[in-house]
Amino acid sequence: MRFDEYITVDWSSASSPQIGPNSIWICTSKCHSEELQKSRLHNIPTRSAATEWLRGHLYTSVQAGNRILVGFDFPFGYPAGTASALGMQGPQWKNMWRLLFNSLSDNHKNENNRFDLAEKLNRQITGEAFPFWGNVRDEKRKYLLRRGRRPHKQDDVAERRLVEKLVPSAQPVWKLAGVGSVGSQALTGIPAVWSLRFDPRLAKKTRIWPFETGLRIEPSAQIIMAEIYPSIFPFRLIKGKPKDAAQVTAAARALAIADRNNQIDSLFVGRSDLKKRDIKIIENEEAWILGVSDYFKK
């Protein structure tokens, strides 16, 4: 088996501490001697507490010699051309992640500046209220509309990443608020993953898929962090728990079962019909959803 432990994270961009629905749920699942152990659920009220819980758990698991797959349910990348539109050169994904890490303010009470950050990025990318849109308040912002933003044009950065064209139910990363929105989760989640990836105790053992590994499992990495979309895995509701809890549980178990059945490599390789140009975009800027592959091709 490739991994000993599977961790799936349902992130939240809430602006105050929350538990229950629309909060952070973490599921941990382990396999020993090809036997799947019972999954454990953790409901953590703030992003800072969840990040520190993951940090401590990963360090302990690594010290025990385990190999860990960690899946986060928000986009790891932005449509091709976003970094260039921001004037960035070099590794697009890393520049974008560093920018978000350095620009996001997010305290222990979940108070954060994600809408200010999105508005600033809009101003830099286009000089108008585009491509980010959506905010949870009625306040008027010159560079960030609550709704009704203009359509994407041919010369704009795309509305969707390559992977989202194959998963129509996945929302665009530009959408910050409303049903199914993931934009705020990405703005608040990517800085958290960055802090884990480059933690001095974990950095040498951790890789981000597919940016640092290519579309494959990196054998030398003890921790692989990846983007997941739990909705692609069938799930059953758990009595007394919200849908989010059931979905991360199902995702963790699906990854563990795929590994036990010697099929997990196929979840990392993307689709066989991807062109070389597409693979370059995916591995350098856009990222990919773990499991969107021929394994689940319909």
Side-chain angles (χ1 to χ4, degrees):
M1 296 181 65
R2 293 288 200 170
F3 300 98
D4 304 294
E5 185 174 12
Y6 315 85
I7 302 174
T8 48
V9 183
D10 182 273
W11 200 247
S12 168
S13 59
S15 295
S16 61
Q18 303 282 344
I19 58 172
N22 303 314
S23 64
I24 295 174
W25 288 89
I26 301 174
C27 180
T28 59
S29 186
K30 293 183 178 180
C31 265
H32 290 296
S33 301
E34 300 188 1
E35 181 177 344
L36 182 62
Q37 294 186 346
K38 186 176 181 180
S39 301
R40 293 186 178 182
L41 275 169
H42 312 268
N43 188 202
I44 304 178
T46 66
R47 287 178 293 278
S48 61
T51 303
E52 293 314 306
W53 186 92
L54 284 166
R55 194 186 313 278
H57 183 88
L58 288 171
Y59 183 67
T60 300
S61 194
V62 162
Q63 289 295 100
N66 294 329
R67 293 198 71 211
I68 311 114
L69 173 59
V70 191
F72 295 88
D73 77 327
F74 51 79
F76 271 22
Y78 289 81
T82 301
S84 296
L86 287 166
M88 298 175 177
Q89 298 179 350
Q92 292 101 326
W93 79 270
K94 201 167 190 177
N95 284 330
M96 193 70 188
W97 280 39
R98 183 184 292 111
L99 171 65
L100 298 183
F101 177 77
N102 290 332
S103 302
L104 183 80
S105 174
D106 194 4
N107 67 21
H108 68 285
K109 296 181 180 180
N110 266 357
E111 298 167 336
N112 64 86
N113 68 337
R114 68 186 188 277
F115 295 120
D116 296 330
L117 176 54
E119 188 172 29
K120 179 181 178 181
L121 293 172
N122 274 349
R123 190 166 63 248
Q124 293 176 334
I125 293 171
T126 62
E128 57 178 302
F130 182 87
F132 287 99
W133 66 278
N135 66 73
V136 295
R137 303 180 183 92
D138 288 323
E139 61 190 20
K140 293 183 178 179
R141 291 174 175 265
K142 182 178 180 181
Y143 296 102
L144 185 66
L145 300 176
R146 184 172 184 181
R147 61 173 66 90
R149 57 92 175 89
R150 69 168 176 81
H152 287 251
K153 300 175 183 177
Q154 185 174 355
D155 294 335
D156 292 324
V157 289
E159 182 176 18
R160 291 178 170 272
R161 298 178 295 158
L162 293 170
V163 70
E164 289 155 358
K165 295 175 182 178
L166 298 173
V167 188
S169 59
Q171 296 286 334
V173 72
W174 310 118
K175 182 179 177 181
L176 302 178
V179 177
S181 59
V182 293
S184 287
Q185 284 88 332
L187 288 177
T188 58
I190 287 173
V193 179
W194 173 280
S195 77
L196 295 171
R197 164 65 184 88
F198 294 103
D199 183 291
R201 299 184 301 174
L202 302 173
K204 292 182 180 180
K205 306 174 188 297
T206 306
R207 295 294 181 269
I208 305 296
W209 176 86
F211 295 138
E212 298 178 299
T213 64
L215 286 168
R216 66 186 184 96
I217 293 177
E218 171 53 59
S220 65
Q222 200 169 344
I223 302 170
I224 292 182
M225 297 180 175
E227 172 186 342
I228 61 170
Y229 182 53
S231 294
I232 69 173
F233 303 106
F235 71 95
R236 292 182 179 179
L237 291 175
I238 301 172
K239 186 176 181 179
K241 305 290 184 185
K243 179 181 175 181
D244 296 339
Q247 287 189 302
V248 290
T249 301
R253 290 183 63 84
L255 295 173
I257 290 169
D259 198 1
R260 186 180 62 187
N261 294 339
N262 296 317
Q263 295 174 317
I264 198 163
D265 287 66
S266 65
L267 305 188
F268 283 80
V269 297
R271 293 272 290 257
S272 60
D273 55 0
L274 288 173
K275 298 178 175 60
K276 288 184 178 180
R277 177 180 177 277
D278 295 337
I279 293 173
K280 184 176 180 180
I281 289 171
I282 290 163
E283 294 179 347
N284 285 282
E285 186 166 14
E286 287 199 355
W288 195 257
I289 296 171
L290 186 66
V292 178
S293 63
D294 293 344
Y295 182 76
F296 283 113
K297 193 173 181 180
K298 297 181 180 179

